[in-house]
Amino acid sequence: MPLLLGCIADDFTGATDLAGTLVKSGLRTIQLNGLPPADAPLPEGAEAIVVALKSRTQPVEQAVADSLAAQAWLSKGGAQQIFFKYCSTFDSTDEGNIGPVAEALMESLDAEITIACPGFAATGRTIYQGHLFVWDQLLSESSMKDHPLTPMTDANLVRVLGRQTSCKVGLVPLPVVMAGEEAVRDKLEDLKAEGVTMAICDMVNDAHLITLGHAMAGRVLVTGGSGVAMGLADNFRDLGFDLPDPTASMPRIEGAQAVLSGSCSQATLGQVAHVEDLYPTFRLDPVKLSEGENQAEAALDWAADKLGETPVLIVASDSPEAVRAVQERLGRMEAGELIERTMSAIARGLVEKGVRRLVVAGGETSGAVVSALKVTGLRIGPEIAPGVPATVSLTDPPLALALKSGNFGGPDFFVKAFEVMP
C-alpha cells in the first residue's frame, strides 16, 4: 500500500490527536516524533504518516523551515496529499506560526487555494461567521485568553489569519457547508477567482467537518484541526484503495504505571483533582524549581517504592496566577523550558525503574517527554477520548503512551486512559 496522506503537526499531542482521527477513519497510521533525516526511509505498514514538529512556539523562520523539510520528505515518499495540522483553538500569535507555515507549504506545493478549519465538534470547538467558539464562549472569552505561550484574544479567525500572512483570507460560510461538498468546491473556486488563497470554513458538527474533508479531494494541501481529517480516508476509498483494520496488530504492554501532568489548562487541573485521592501524588514546587532545586531527583526518590499497578501522579500543573508568578521571575519561555526539562528527567528515571505505561498531560510536556525517552515513532491505537488515542512506541522495550493536549479529555481521563491503553 503506498503512502496516501502525509501530515505535518505543529506539536506532539496535536499529532497524536490527528493520528487517532486517521485511525478511526480507517488509515493505518504511524506518528514520527521530530523531523526525520532527509534520506530516512518511510516506515512500513502505514497509509498515513504524521510528522510531529514543535513548530507552534518556535521562531517563525524555524517553524517554516522544519515544516518545509517535513513536507519535502513526505512528498518524496509519495504522499498524495499533505495535511498541515494545528490546534483546535488556533493557538498562535499575530506573527504566526499558522499563517507563515501554511503560506510556505502552499508555495512549495503550488497549491492554488486551501482551507483553514481548526474546528473540532467533539471538544466544543465550532466556527460560525469565521468566529471560533469553545463550547458556548467565544475563543477570546474562554480560558485560552490566559494561555501562557499563545494567549488568544481575538475569535475572528479571518482577522487572525489575515494578520499572519500576505495571502488574502476569505470565508466559506455555514450555509455553503450545509449545502454539501459540491457547494464547498464551487465556493472555493469563486473565492480563488477573487484572489483568495486561504479560506476559513464554518462548521458546527462532525457532518460539516466530513463535508469539508470530502470537498478537498484532489487538493494537494489541507490545513486545519484533526476534525477535517475525518473525511479524507473516504476520498482514497473512492479512488479504489482497500483500507484494512488499522488497530488489529497493537501489542499488549505490561509494567508499572505513571501520570506526568505539565498542563495548566482548566481541563487538566480538573483531571488532576479527580485522581489525587486515588493515586499517590507528588507536586513539583515551581518556586523551588526556579531557585535551582533538583525536583526531578526528589520526585523519583518519592516514587521508588510506590510503582506498581496503581499509577503514581507527578504534577507540575498549577493555577494561572501561580504560573504567571514563575513566568515573571524567570521569563515565559524559560519557565516553560524548566518544567519540560524537569518532566523529561522524571520520565527517563521512571522508565529506568520499570514504568511501561505512561500518561502525559500537556502538549509541550508530551513533546519533551517523548524526546527524552528517544521515542522516534508511535503506532496509533484506539481512542481514549476525542483527540487522544492510545499509542505504542516503536522502541525497545515498547511503551504504552497516552499523550494528551491540555484541554482534552473529561474529568476521569487518567483512569480511562489506563483502561484503554494496550
Side-chain angles (χ1 to χ4, degrees):
M1 182 75 74
L3 178 62
L4 302 179
L5 188 65
C7 306
I8 303 160
D10 68 355
D11 79 348
F12 288 93
T13 55
T16 57
D17 170 11
L18 172 59
T21 298
L22 295 174
V23 166
K24 286 176 65 179
S25 70
L27 294 169
R28 290 180 299 176
T29 304
I30 286 176
Q31 175 180 328
L32 301 179
N33 299 323
L35 185 64
D39 59 352
L42 291 178
E44 297 180 356
E47 291 89 42
I49 293 176
V50 182
V51 177
L53 302 179
K54 199 174 181 181
S55 57
R56 183 176 301 174
T57 54
Q58 282 180 320
V60 171
E61 296 79 7
Q62 189 63 54
V64 168
D66 287 355
S67 300
L68 288 175
Q71 176 261 307
W73 182 79
L74 291 164
S75 296
K76 180 182 176 183
Q80 298 187 21
Q81 188 173 61
I82 298 295
F83 189 100
F84 170 40
K85 193 274 178 194
Y86 37 80
C87 186
S88 61
T89 46
F90 217 67
D91 289 22
S92 52
T93 67
D94 283 352
E95 291 72 38
N97 291 333
I98 294 172
V101 169
E103 185 173 355
L105 291 172
M106 290 189 70
E107 182 177 351
S108 177
L109 293 164
D110 292 323
E112 295 178 325
I113 191 169
T114 192
I115 64 170
C117 182
F120 192 5
T123 56
R125 278 62 163 171
T126 58
I127 305 167
Y128 181 66
Q129 291 296 308
H131 289 70
L132 180 57
F133 287 79
V134 179
W135 298 112
D136 60 348
Q137 292 181 309
L138 284 166
L139 175 68
S140 53
E141 298 173 1
S142 74
S143 61
M144 285 303 299
K145 70 181 185 299
D146 297 316
H147 192 284
L149 297 179
T150 51
M152 299 303 295
T153 57
D154 188 353
N156 185 323
L157 299 189
V158 176
R159 196 161 54 208
V160 171
L161 188 57
R163 290 195 293 264
Q164 297 179 9
T165 174
S166 62
C167 295
K168 186 176 180 180
V169 180
L171 174 67
V172 179
L174 187 60
V176 173
V177 179
M178 293 175 68
E181 59 194 75
E182 288 297 332
V184 173
R185 291 191 188 102
D186 291 344
K187 180 63 175 179
L188 290 175
E189 289 300 316
D190 291 343
L191 289 171
K192 187 173 68 173
E194 298 170 9
V196 170
T197 54
M198 295 184 189
I200 298 294
C201 296
D202 282 354
M203 52 68 59
V204 298
N205 58 38
D206 285 350
H208 298 152
L209 292 168
I210 292 170
T211 292
L212 292 170
H214 289 172
M216 294 304 287
R219 297 281 185 186
V220 293
L221 176 66
V222 185
T223 90
S226 61
V228 172
M230 290 192 291
L232 300 183
D234 291 338
N235 297 338
F236 295 115
R237 291 189 185 94
D238 290 343
L239 293 174
F241 290 102
D242 182 27
L243 304 179
D245 179 2
T247 63
S249 59
M250 294 291 287
R252 173 69 183 174
I253 307 299
E254 304 285 352
Q257 306 186 118
V259 177
L260 299 180
S261 179
S263 168
C264 297
S265 73
Q266 290 183 355
T268 298
L269 294 175
Q271 291 155 1
V272 168
H274 185 79
V275 296
E276 279 186 298
D277 292 336
L278 302 176
Y279 302 165
T281 300
F282 183 95
R283 283 191 170 273
L284 301 179
D285 185 327
V287 174
K288 291 181 179 178
L289 272 176
S290 68
E291 293 173 346
E293 182 175 306
N294 190 339
Q295 293 254 293
E297 182 177 323
L300 291 168
D301 289 344
W302 167 87
D305 61 354
K306 298 176 178 65
L307 297 174
E309 291 186 8
T310 299
V312 298
L313 171 64
I314 298 176
V315 183
S317 309
D318 214 330
S319 67
E321 294 77 17
V323 172
R324 278 194 292 269
V326 176
Q327 289 178 339
E328 289 171 0
R329 180 186 181 97
L330 296 179
R332 175 178 290 182
M333 298 301 293
E334 290 78 5
E337 290 170 359
L338 178 59
I339 293 295
E340 291 171 27
R341 289 196 302 270
T342 302
M343 285 299 204
S344 296
I346 292 170
R348 285 193 299 267
L350 290 174
V351 171
E352 289 172 2
K353 293 177 183 296
V355 168
R356 296 292 179 266
R357 297 165 61 78
L358 185 62
V359 177
V360 187
E364 300 302 321
T365 305
S366 293
V369 165
V370 297
S371 177
L373 296 178
K374 295 180 169 55
V375 177
T376 58
L378 297 165
R379 191 166 298 279
I380 308 300
E383 182 180 81
I384 300 168
V388 192
T391 75
V392 172
S393 66
L394 304 180
T395 56
D396 186 20
L399 305 172
L401 298 170
L403 307 170
K404 185 189 86 72
S405 179
N407 288 301
F408 284 9
D412 63 345
F413 176 84
F414 296 145
V415 174
K416 186 177 179 182
F418 290 113
E419 294 172 350
V420 174
M421 288 161 62

